[in-house]
Amino acid sequence: MRGRSIALVILLLLVGYGGVKAWPLLHGPTLTVLSPGPWASLPDGYLSIRGIATHTESLTLNGSQLLIDQMGRVEKLLLLPPGGAIITLTYTDRFGRSTTERRHVFIP
């Protein structure tokens, strides 16, 4: 009886460990946008896009490919004309699951 209990505990630990390790893959891609903030106002017109991507195979900014370094960091500097703009970031994992995030910016 004691052997079965130990085997059951070991099995539960292995299943739990597998679940913890598989969760990021099952969850999908994530992107933490550090800049710009939501509804940002940029007085000089320079837009610095910075973020950290995890479990992300590709990242696009308004349809154009952005590079992700080995640490998952993303950086891009744009010069925008006066007015409003919507920045669309789409990130995709290696299984084809994608997520889109939008940021609205205004240049006076």
Side-chain angles (χ1 to χ4, degrees), residues 3-5 8 13 20 29 36 38 42 50 53 60-61 64 68-69 72 80 86 90 93 97 100 106:
R4 284 187 179 179
S5 298
L8 180 63
L13 288 173
V20 167
L42 309 169
R50 294 183 303 118
T60 61
L61 168 67
S64 297
I68 304 169
D69 71 7
L80 298 176
I86 299 174
T90 303
D93 69 0
R97 295 177 294 195
T100 300
F106 178 72

Side-chain angles (χ1 to χ4, degrees), residues 25 28-31 53-60 65-69 72 74 90-99:
L25 295 175
T30 58
L31 177 69
T54 55
H55 308 292
T56 302
E57 185 75 19
S58 68
L59 175 64
T60 61
Q65 190 76 27
L66 285 180
L67 297 177
I68 304 169
D69 71 7
V74 177
T90 303
Y91 38 105
T92 308
D93 69 0
R94 64 181 175 176
F95 302 111
R97 295 177 294 195
S98 64
T99 306

Side-chain angles (χ1 to χ4, degrees), residues 1 3 6 11 15-16 22 24 29 35 38 44 46 53-55 58 60 70 79 81-82 90 94-95 100:
M1 185 69 174
I6 292 173
L11 179 64
V15 169
S35 170
D44 58 359
Y46 285 100
T54 55
H55 308 292
S58 68
T60 61
Q70 295 208 0
L79 177 60
T90 303
R94 64 181 175 176
F95 302 111
T100 300

Side-chain angles (χ1 to χ4, degrees), residues 2 15 17 25 39 45 49 54 56 73 76 79 96 104 107:
R2 181 172 234 191
V15 169
Y17 178 76
L25 295 175
W39 302 98
I49 298 171
T54 55
T56 302
R73 293 178 300 223
K76 180 76 173 176
L79 177 60
H104 302 267
I107 297 90

